[in-house]
Amino acid sequence: MKIKQGSSWRDVPIAGNILEPGTSAELKTGAWRADVKPKWHADRCIQCSQCWVFCPDVAIRLDDEGKVCGIDYDYCKGCGLCASVCPEKANAIEMVPEAEEV
Ligand code: SF4
Ligand code: SF4
């Protein structure tokens, strides 16, 4: 593929192509999770929605009223972003070993 750079054209490799669009629901990104997973504590959650906003896989579940109600482990990759953005005063998400019951 050629892209224009200033007045000249440059060859760049084609990468990151999505060959079959609309497959995100079928791609269970939770299978990528390795050692840890998030554990949500309902009793500590202050419903600030930061985890939902930042989760790259839309794996934070919301109830019918739009409130955080858990984690969809089919899609959670275990990146820990939700635990990082959860306010310190709430500390409602902790990363636990994959084998732990949640
Ligand atoms: S660990 Fe990552 S992928 Fe899983 S719910 Fe948290 S932010 Fe989303
Ligand atoms: S970031 Fe923490 S306190 Fe905020 S909604 Fe998510 S779990 Fe609850």
Side-chain angles (χ1 to χ4, degrees):
M1 182 175 121
K2 288 192 179 300
I3 62 163
K4 193 162 189 191
Q5 202 169 42
S7 58
S8 58
W9 290 86
R10 191 161 68 95
D11 279 319
V12 293
I14 298 172
N17 287 344
I18 297 172
L19 302 176
E20 280 182 61
T23 57
S24 59
E26 295 159 33
L27 185 64
K28 301 278 167 93
T29 46
W32 302 357
R33 212 169 49 245
D35 303 328
V36 290
K37 63 185 174 188
K39 180 177 184 177
W40 177 67
H41 296 273
D43 56 330
R44 299 188 210 158
C45 180
I46 57 172
Q47 295 296 336
C48 69
S49 299
Q50 289 301 292
C51 54
W52 179 79
V53 168
F54 282 94
C55 175
D57 285 280
V58 200
I60 301 293
R61 293 172 51 220
L62 302 179
D63 65 16
D64 292 343
E65 294 173 349
K67 291 183 176 174
V68 170
C69 64
I71 292 165
D72 188 339
Y73 293 105
D74 276 352
Y75 297 99
C76 167
K77 288 190 298 214
C79 67
L81 204 49
C82 53
S84 298
V85 298
C86 185
E88 216 171 288
K89 66 179 176 183
N91 195 22
I93 299 180
E94 66 173 314
M95 300 305 288
V96 298
E98 178 65 28
E100 185 172 318
E101 281 291 319
V102 289

